[in-house]
């Protein structure tokens, strides 16, 4: 059974476009690929464009300027499924700095965000991106997107060796 070793939560308010990055960072600056403004070509997976050091994600929230909340999780083995969460992508990430963080895709200047430290430099990680969009379900007389929260889990664990 997998054990959660550490976790952290960060938030981002997207001001331009509908994309954000979870990518390798160093000293608060995105250094991975995909990086800010980088075009990955045709995405084969809806809403997510993976690169060698991160992922470019199109938010599920309908309204711009909505906050995005990301929970980073470092596991000692592959974590079990979370049935209420949508699995967006699973693959591998190579983190030279051993740190990842979030950034706006179309930002001209970088806000400083949390750097989630895996504790290991120059390492490849198995990775999974999960999403859950919470919206207004309590008041049917009002639109569901009046209250909308876009949640993401970034799960990292050591790749299996054969």
């Amino acid at each position: 059974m997998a054990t959660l070793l550490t976790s952290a939560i960060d938030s981002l308010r997207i001001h331009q476009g509908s994309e954000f990055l979870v990518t390798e960072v160093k000293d608060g600056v995105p250094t991975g690929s995909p990086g800010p403004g980088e075009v990955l070509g045709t995405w084969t997976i809806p809403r997510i464009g993976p690169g060698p050091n991160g992922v470019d994600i199109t938010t599920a929230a309908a309204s711009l300027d909505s906050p995005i909340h990301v929970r980073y999780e470092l596991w000692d083995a592959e974590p079990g499924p979370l049935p209420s969460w949508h699995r967006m992508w699973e693959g591998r990430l190579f983190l030279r700095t051993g740190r990842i963080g979030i950034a706006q895709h179309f930002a001209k200047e970088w806000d400083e965000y949390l750097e989630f430290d895996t504790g290991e430099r120059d390492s490849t990680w198995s990775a999974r991106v999960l999403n859950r969009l919470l919206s207004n379900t309590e008041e049917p007389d009002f639109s569901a997107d009046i209250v909308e929260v876009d949640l993401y889990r970034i799960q990292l664990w050591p790749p299996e060796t054969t």
Side-chain angles (χ1 to χ4, degrees), residues 81-97:
L82 293 170
S84 62
W85 288 74
H86 168 69
R87 182 185 300 197
M88 295 181 69
W89 174 79
E90 191 168 316
R92 301 236 171 149
L93 297 176
F94 176 73
L95 301 178
R96 183 171 288 113
T97 65

Side-chain angles (χ1 to χ4, degrees), residues 68-136:
I68 302 301
H69 304 282
V70 176
R71 176 181 161 98
Y72 305 101
E73 299 177 347
L74 184 64
W75 294 81
D76 66 350
E78 181 177 356
L82 293 170
S84 62
W85 288 74
H86 168 69
R87 182 185 300 197
M88 295 181 69
W89 174 79
E90 191 168 316
R92 301 236 171 149
L93 297 176
F94 176 73
L95 301 178
R96 183 171 288 113
T97 65
R99 296 170 183 256
I100 59 172
I102 54 177
Q104 293 187 60
H105 181 78
F106 295 106
K108 302 241 188 272
E109 297 178 9
W110 315 123
D111 295 328
E112 195 148 326
Y113 299 103
L114 173 86
E115 291 185 26
F116 183 72
D117 190 354
T118 65
E120 292 190 33
R121 296 175 57 89
D122 297 315
S123 294
T124 299
W125 295 93
S126 290
R128 181 182 299 144
V129 178
L130 303 169
N131 174 239
R132 187 160 185 210
L133 183 64
L134 304 177
S135 61
N136 173 37

Side-chain angles (χ1 to χ4, degrees), residues 5 8 10 15 24 28 42 70 77 102-103 105 122 125 134 139 141 158:
L5 301 174
D10 201 4
H15 299 294
E24 183 174 49
T42 306
V70 176
I102 54 177
H105 181 78
D122 297 315
W125 295 93
L134 304 177
E139 293 294 334
D141 295 336

Side-chain angles (χ1 to χ4, degrees), residues 7-86:
S7 66
I9 296 176
D10 201 4
S11 296
L12 168 70
R13 192 171 292 277
I14 299 176
H15 299 294
Q16 189 175 17
S18 59
E19 294 175 46
F20 70 100
L21 304 169
V22 176
T23 193
E24 183 174 49
V25 294
K26 181 177 181 180
D27 300 327
V29 177
T31 59
S33 176
E38 182 178 356
V39 177
L40 293 172
T42 306
W43 290 9
T44 57
I45 304 168
R47 292 190 42 228
I48 192 161
N53 312 88
V55 291
D56 185 350
I57 300 171
T58 300
T59 178
S63 57
L64 292 178
D65 210 29
S66 294
I68 302 301
H69 304 282
V70 176
R71 176 181 161 98
Y72 305 101
E73 299 177 347
L74 184 64
W75 294 81
D76 66 350
E78 181 177 356
L82 293 170
S84 62
W85 288 74
H86 168 69

